[in-house]
Amino acid sequence: MPVEMRRGGLHLSGTALWLDAHRKAPLAFVSHAHSDHIARHERVIATRATLRLMAHRLGALPSCLPVPYNRPFELGALCLELLPAGHILGSAQLRVIRSDGKRVTYTGDLNLEASSTAEAAQVAECDTLVLESTFGHPRYRFPPKAEVVEAIEAFARTTLERGATPVLLGYSLGKSQEVIRALTSRGHSVVAHASVCAVAEVYRSLGVEVGAVRRFDGTWLPGEVGVFPPHVWKFERLLRPWPRRTAILTGWAVDPGTARRYGADEAFPLSDHADFEGLISYAKSTGASEVLTHHGFAEELARALRDRGIEARPLGTVRQLDLFG
Ligand SMILES: [Zn+2]
């Protein structure tokens, strides 16, 4: 088995390398800086942007190896290369060429649609693909991103025209910066929670323009669109404007009842992950003869790939398979 699922996360078999381990590891590749992918490892391999965003969240890290995209390097008997994953700024896939010449790609989180605030994903051709399957169920089909962004802008505009304040709820790292850029480039004024502004500042320092955004100080100015992380919004009841309309931005918007679940008026499927068809076509385009799915709908995605003639299995069942033989 090229990778193993252990208690701390994924591990590249026969090496010292962990992949997005959630516990402190001696040596880890970190695909991107979302909180479920980072920990204070002893040594970290990641892009410069990911390391900056990790330091923003975790404080200074002891030992880091910043690696540019498309620049293969050696680590013991392995050859490693980072390729853009298109998920958030700095996100990377890792391609490992083992001493026997076999190429293994680990995607971390992956988004194949162009984003104004992340590097465009590249296809990492390989023999074995370890593929994230967050939206790996056939019911997750996202409309083209341009359409989703237009719908969000129309929501903001019509809400303002009706004399109410539009508030968009999105994850503080990645999603928020993308939507702020879309709104400001269309002439909107944006006010955002401090955590969103702080990440926007890191993006700017890395050369990615996000657009002008006012840091929320408890006041709402006429004509502004609010951008808040959903978990923060939940607790800031006293600071909410009135009248208002809220919208949650997430790939889960495809599921009925998503707006209500988040306590929002509307839901838009703005995702920083590939949808089901995107994952299938990505797996095919890598040329991999073996796909190991992990995270989310791993079983369903593996089954769908097998239906299309690609050898695939979910990583979560590796231990059971090993036990039985
Ligand atoms: Zn992520």
Side-chain angles (χ1 to χ4, degrees), residues 31-37 87-88 108-110 171 173 272-273:
S31 66
H32 66 286
H34 276 155
S35 55
D36 52 338
H37 291 253
H87 175 58
I88 61 168
D109 289 346
L110 186 68
Y171 197 73
L173 168 53
D272 43 24
H273 288 265

Side-chain angles (χ1 to χ4, degrees), residues 143-156:
K145 188 173 266 184
E147 267 177 39
V148 181
V149 169
E150 284 311 315
I152 294 169
E153 198 275 330
F155 165 83

